[in-house]
Amino acid sequence: MAMLYTRLILTVGALLVDICHKHVVTAQNYQLTSSCGGSVLEGGSCTLMCYTGEASHTAIQWQNGTTFYRNSQGSCSSTSPSVQTDYTTSCPSSTNYTLTINNAVYGRDTLSWRCDYQFGGRQSNQLNISVLVPLSNVTITRTTMSISCAAVSNPPPSMTLYRDGMSVATSPVAVEGDTGWTATINYQLTGTSRNSLYYCQASNTQTSVNSTYSYPDIAVSSVSLTNITSANQEVGAAEGQPLTLTCVTSSSYPAATVTWFKNSVPLASGISNGHTSQSGVVQTTSTVTIIPVRSDLGHKVYCRATNIHTPSPVQSDSARVGVWFGPEQVDVTKPDNTVALENRNLTLTCTVTAYPNLTFTWDYIDGTPVGGTTGSVTGSSTWWSQTLTFRPNKDKTAVRCRVRNTKATETGSASLDVKYPPPAPPSITKFQTLMFEGDPETISCTVTGGNPLATITWSCPGTGSASVSDSGQTRTSTLSFIVSRSQNSQQCQCQGAWLYGGYNLSDVRAFNVSCPKKQQPLNAEYNITGVIAGSTIGTLLLTLLIEGLVLIVLYRKGFRFGNIMKGTASQKSTRNTEIEEMENIGYSSLDHVNSPAEYPGDKEASEKQHYTQLKIYENTNVEPSTYEDMTEAPPESINASPYQNSGGQSRVSDPDYGNK
């Protein structure tokens, strides 16, 4: 009775010791319990506790199917045969034995355990140990023909395959193996399904886990430089300012690698890359920022992209770098050895260093339009030009070329020395309408205007060389000469010529020369006026007195003596009758002397008969028929006639003529 009571107390105590977290198995004899409640996480530990209730039982055996491990109080830490390496045993008391499973493994430790007396007969209850395998990994494998997924866990998993986010397959019932329960999917790829994105999702009663994405083997098919719309298009920025270019790749997997080039040289700085996932594939965006300098103008910039599935990199179109700066060094020139002629086409060229978008504007320096036609803007790199063809205006001294772009405006100009002919023909001046043989004369020819002044050429018979003088815009050519009778009725021409042609004008005058005939002796049978002296001394003295007075008056008046005209054959004078009357004022016309026989033997009276006949000559040509031959020469006082134009001035040009 006491033994039974004691066993009851021990049984109750054992039950109280086994906390609520432990699974209690009622044994018929020995009692087997565990610290893990029958389930242990893979890699964890669980302790089995065997309560014998009999202190006299100094040895027990552990059973897990067909394997028996003997454990005794004397050597409690060892068993025979030896337990697994990860197993340990102990004896907390004379009635309690333990076996601890460390680093639990599904295939080894998923067992059913019992404990019993070493000789049998006290077998405990059976305790099933379950090793839990966490669902922590789902593998996915892809080939060109199929997609495979697998997941292992305990409790058993199930699995679903997704294509581009849509469920396309589920796994059959999981199969148990050494590592746990395995669920699998094997999905065949055909057609466009090969280009899709796949993943698997596995789940059990404890959790749900997704596989990684399975991307197709997608090469980079293209890369675009988004700053341009066509190849070799210009992209630019102001000199010294940043210029950012962007390349975007086609979707690929894995992500593309982008490299930038400028003039075939890789760029190492200023590059930034970004990746955007779209349904599992990746699109790569790459930017590069450069600071352009003038030497970069016209350089080509492009990018290349590649991944592991792209044997040869793909390349974008190239962009030309534009470096913008304002107009500099504006020059306006004309062709060498070209003269600017009024109203004749002249071509000027305006050149400038600038970039880009140049606009040329032409005008005169005073702002008035220049007219004409302009050529197209031509050039290369930073040098540009435009031509202007127009007709210069002599009143405009400079043409201006204004060049502007988005950066600045600059102006250049060209000074013009416009050549133009004189506006009027030459003009002969100081040309007397009547000239006298032997007189010195000076004539002039003037041309006004023109740049340069015209050249004056004389074509004038019987003249010498001319002298030329300039005064402002007037050129004068002066010709001095002695009048000769050979010039009479001849033409004297002043010809104007201009250096650049288009001016060939002249002025023409005709000589009118008065020429006196050879002087002849007076003839007694002709008389206009005369004084007949008597044979008496008184009459002679009176005659001499009158003759002296007449000679004095005639010389003072400038009259000349000529031959005595025949009374009936003399020509009628063409001179103005008033002038003739004025010239003869104070003179008397003596009656005709019939013959020297009236004064025979008086030689002096005979001479006076010849030389007291007076004739006033005009400064006009006299026909030879009006003169008679004379047998004697006149006295010296008569030969020294005023007809010789003493003082070099003709009577026609004498303003005081007839007033003396």
Side-chain angles (χ1 to χ4, degrees):
M1 187 68 179
M3 179 68 71
L4 181 59
Y5 181 75
T6 301
R7 179 174 294 179
L8 180 60
I9 293 174
L10 292 173
T11 302
V12 173
L15 292 174
L16 293 174
V17 171
D18 192 6
I19 62 175
C20 62
H21 298 291
K22 297 181 179 180
H23 178 69
V24 178
V25 179
T26 302
Q28 295 179 354
N29 292 310
Y30 287 0
Q31 296 177 358
L32 182 60
T33 60
S34 69
S35 62
C36 61
S39 297
V40 59
L41 189 63
E42 187 177 42
S45 63
C46 183
T47 299
L48 304 180
M49 295 171 292
C50 183
Y51 175 67
T52 65
E54 295 287 343
S56 59
H57 291 181
T58 57
I60 68 169
Q61 57 180 349
W62 296 95
Q63 302 173 1
N64 62 355
T66 59
T67 303
F68 297 88
Y69 301 102
R70 180 171 294 181
N71 187 209
S72 64
Q73 289 284 345
S75 56
C76 195
S77 60
S78 62
T79 61
S80 178
S82 297
V83 295
Q84 299 287 340
T85 302
D86 293 330
Y87 292 177
T88 59
T89 59
S90 66
C91 303
S93 67
S94 59
T95 57
N96 286 294
Y97 295 83
T98 64
L99 186 149
T100 301
I101 301 171
N102 298 303
N103 194 21
V105 177
Y106 181 85
R108 182 193 67 186
D109 301 323
T110 302
L111 299 171
S112 296
W113 290 88
R114 293 178 185 272
C115 64
D116 197 359
Y117 182 52
Q118 63 175 334
F119 299 114
R122 303 293 297 272
Q123 190 177 53
S124 71
N125 57 297
Q126 179 176 299
L127 184 62
N128 295 321
I129 299 298
S130 176
V131 177
L132 300 177
V133 178
L135 183 59
S136 59
N137 183 42
V138 179
T139 62
I140 184 168
T141 304
R142 183 171 188 157
T143 67
T144 57
M145 301 301 295
S146 66
I147 288 283
S148 297
C149 291
V152 178
S153 70
N154 185 30
S158 62
M159 192 160 48
T160 302
L161 176 65
Y162 293 88
R163 171 189 171 187
D164 295 332
M166 302 294 294
S167 174
V168 293
T170 58
S171 66
V173 176
V175 177
E176 186 178 20
D178 291 339
T179 58
W181 294 87
T182 301
T184 59
I185 291 178
N186 188 16
Y187 182 79
Q188 299 300 308
L189 298 177
T190 59
T192 58
S193 66
R194 293 187 176 93
N195 298 327
S196 297
L197 172 69
Y198 294 90
Y199 72 94
C200 288
Q201 184 181 74
S203 60
N204 59 18
T205 57
Q206 296 179 344
T207 188
S208 179
V209 177
N210 291 343
S211 71
T212 59
Y213 288 100
S214 176
Y215 301 101
D217 296 340
I218 301 177
V220 184
S221 61
S222 65
V223 59
S224 301
L225 184 56
T226 61
N227 302 77
I228 60 175
T229 58
S230 60
N232 207 36
Q233 185 178 341
E234 181 184 276
V235 291
E239 186 176 21
Q241 298 300 312
L243 173 63
T244 299
L245 305 176
T246 301
C247 271
V248 177
T249 69
S250 62
S251 296
S252 64
Y253 190 83
T257 299
V258 178
T259 306
W260 286 91
F261 295 84
K262 183 176 74 172
N263 262 23
S264 302
V265 177
L267 296 174
S269 60
I271 300 173
S272 175
N273 295 313
H275 307 287
T276 303
S277 295
Q278 298 176 344
S279 300
V281 292
V282 181
Q283 186 178 61
T284 300
T285 301
S286 180
T287 62
V288 62
T289 300
I290 60 176
I291 306 298
V293 296
R294 197 167 300 187
S295 59
D296 290 328
L297 183 62
H299 284 183
K300 293 184 178 181
V301 177
Y302 56 89
C303 64
R304 290 176 179 171
T306 185
N307 68 1
I308 59 176
H309 305 301
T310 310
S312 299
V314 293
Q315 180 173 310
S316 71
D317 289 331
S318 297
R320 287 184 297 107
V321 176
V323 185
W324 303 336
F325 58 94
E328 300 173 355
Q329 300 176 353
V330 179
D331 295 319
V332 181
T333 59
K334 61 182 178 64
D336 293 340
N337 302 321
T338 298
V339 177
L341 301 176
E342 185 180 33
N343 295 324
R344 299 188 195 178
N345 283 342
L346 174 68
T347 298
L348 301 180
T349 302
C350 183
T351 59
V352 62
T353 300
Y355 196 86
N357 302 327
L358 296 176
T359 299
F360 289 77
T361 303
W362 295 84
D363 60 3
Y364 286 112
I365 201 70
D366 60 2
T368 57
V370 71
T373 59
T374 57
S376 60
V377 177
T378 60
S380 61
S381 186
T382 61
W383 182 89
W384 304 91
S385 67
Q386 186 186 56
T387 59
L388 167 70
T389 300
F390 72 111
R391 294 190 172 189
N393 186 327
K394 66 182 179 62
D395 298 324
K396 306 296 184 180
T397 59
V399 172
R400 179 171 56 189
C401 174
R402 182 181 291 108
V403 184
R404 64 180 177 86
N405 66 1
T406 55
K407 296 293 295 178
T409 300
E410 191 65 30
T411 300
S413 63
S415 297
L416 297 180
D417 181 15
V418 180
K419 310 298 185 182
Y420 57 93
S427 176
I428 297 177
T429 61
K430 299 182 181 180
F431 194 95
Q432 303 296 337
T433 58
L434 180 62
M435 299 183 186
F436 296 96
E437 182 182 22
D439 285 355
E441 289 288 345
T442 298
I443 60 176
S444 298
C445 182
T446 60
V447 178
T448 300
N451 179 29
L453 298 177
T455 300
I456 300 175
T457 304
W458 288 95
S459 177
C460 206
T463 60
S465 60
S467 62
V468 178
S469 63
D470 296 332
S471 177
Q473 283 289 297
T474 300
R475 171 164 289 177
T476 302
S477 178
T478 302
L479 191 62
S480 297
F481 58 94
I482 301 298
V483 178
S484 68
R485 67 178 61 201
S486 63
Q487 293 172 318
N488 187 45
S489 300
Q490 298 292 321
Q491 287 189 337
C492 181
Q493 176 177 278
C494 170
Q495 179 77 39
W498 192 53
L499 177 62
Y500 301 103
Y503 179 87
N504 188 20
L505 302 176
S506 62
D507 190 11
V508 179
R509 304 293 174 88
F511 284 108
N512 186 12
V513 179
S514 177
C515 303
K517 300 305 177 178
K518 182 178 179 182
Q519 295 181 357
Q520 301 176 7
L522 293 176
N523 195 323
E525 61 181 295
Y526 299 101
N527 65 81
I528 299 176
T529 62
V531 178
I532 304 174
S535 57
T536 64
I537 295 175
T539 302
L540 177 60
L541 293 175
L542 177 60
T543 302
L544 292 176
L545 177 61
I546 293 173
E547 193 170 292
L549 291 174
V550 171
L551 291 175
I552 292 172
V553 173
L554 289 176
Y555 272 99
R556 292 188 62 187
K557 289 295 183 175
F559 289 97
R560 294 189 174 101
F561 288 97
N563 295 327
I564 297 175
M565 304 293 295
K566 292 181 180 180
T568 59
S570 64
Q571 288 186 340
K572 185 178 180 180
S573 173
T574 60
R575 299 183 62 191
N576 190 303
T577 56
E578 294 180 358
I579 296 177
E580 289 183 345
E581 291 175 0
M582 292 176 63
E583 291 174 347
N584 294 320
I585 292 174
Y587 298 89
S588 58
S589 179
L590 303 181
D591 294 334
H592 175 68
V593 179
N594 292 324
S595 171
E598 298 180 10
Y599 303 97
D602 191 347
K603 181 178 181 180
E604 181 178 358
S606 178
E607 291 178 353
K608 286 181 171 55
Q609 179 183 356
H610 288 284
Y611 296 107
T612 56
Q613 301 177 23
L614 304 179
K615 172 63 179 175
I616 300 172
Y617 282 84
E618 299 175 310
N619 291 325
T620 57
N621 294 329
V622 181
E623 294 297 331
S625 62
T626 62
Y627 296 92
E628 295 290 343
D629 293 337
M630 294 187 178
T631 57
E632 298 181 26
E636 183 179 351
S637 61
I638 296 178
N639 284 336
S641 169
Y643 181 76
Q644 297 177 3
N645 284 339
S646 176
Q649 184 173 4
S650 69
R651 291 180 182 174
V652 174
S653 61
D654 185 357
D656 295 328
Y657 175 74
N659 296 328
K660 295 182 181 179

